[in-house]
């Protein structure tokens, strides 16, 4: 039987391991890129799985003053599409990390 000291040490090591895995996962989310598309590809927004926008591309045919409102709507739609994909990529990565920790499916760790 383990002593209380050994159990505390094991718990501390497990907590440190989880903290390192979470840190690694957060770094990986910054590397995963997704692309949101709107208007049949006329507007694209590229961002990381953490939600940082990397770039916006707008088809030249939309660069007319009378198209301003439509362009604004398409940029918003493309960003929302990218955000949804980023959230899905983030959730998949967190689920993968949690699975490696031996946690039950659907378990929600604080801060995740």
């Amino acid at each position: 039987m383990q002593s209380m000291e050994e159990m505390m040490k094991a718990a501390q090591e497990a907590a440190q391991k989880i903290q390192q895995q979470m840190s690694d996962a957060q770094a990986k989310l910054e590397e995963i890129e997704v692309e949101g598309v709107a208007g049949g590809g006329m507007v694209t927004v590229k961002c990381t799985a953490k939600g940082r926008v990397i770039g916006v591309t707008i088809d030249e045919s939309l660069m007319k003053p009378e198209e301003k409102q439509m362009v604004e709507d398409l940029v918003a739609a493309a960003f929302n599409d990218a955000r949804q994909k980023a959230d899905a990529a983030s959730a998949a990565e967190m689920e993968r990390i949690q699975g490696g920790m031996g946690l039950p499916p659907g378990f929600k760790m604080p801060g995740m």
Side-chain angles (χ1 to χ4, degrees):
M1 179 172 213
Q2 288 184 329
S3 71
M4 182 61 87
E5 187 176 301
E6 290 172 328
M7 291 188 329
M8 291 298 290
K9 184 178 179 186
Q12 184 178 16
E13 288 172 358
Q16 288 172 342
K17 181 178 178 182
I18 290 170
Q19 187 176 22
Q20 182 61 49
Q21 288 175 329
M22 292 303 297
S23 178
D24 293 347
Q26 290 297 318
K28 184 170 182 177
L29 292 178
E30 190 61 40
E31 295 173 7
I32 296 172
E33 294 181 6
V34 296
E35 186 173 87
V37 180
M42 295 180 84
V43 175
T44 61
V45 173
K46 186 181 284 189
C47 68
T48 68
K50 286 188 80 170
R52 184 175 59 87
V53 175
I54 298 169
V56 176
T57 305
I58 301 171
D59 189 277
E60 286 185 29
S61 67
L62 295 174
M63 298 305 206
K64 301 174 189 165
E66 64 272 12
E67 302 293 339
K68 180 182 182 297
Q69 182 63 49
M70 182 175 60
V71 171
E72 291 169 347
D73 292 344
L74 289 173
V75 169
F79 175 79
N80 289 333
D81 185 44
R83 181 73 249 171
Q84 182 181 13
K85 290 174 182 176
D87 289 345
S90 178
E93 182 63 18
M94 289 297 120
E95 191 172 305
R96 185 187 70 76
I97 294 296
Q98 285 181 339
M101 292 179 197
L103 299 173
F107 180 79
K108 299 290 183 200
M109 284 190 70
M112 293 182 78

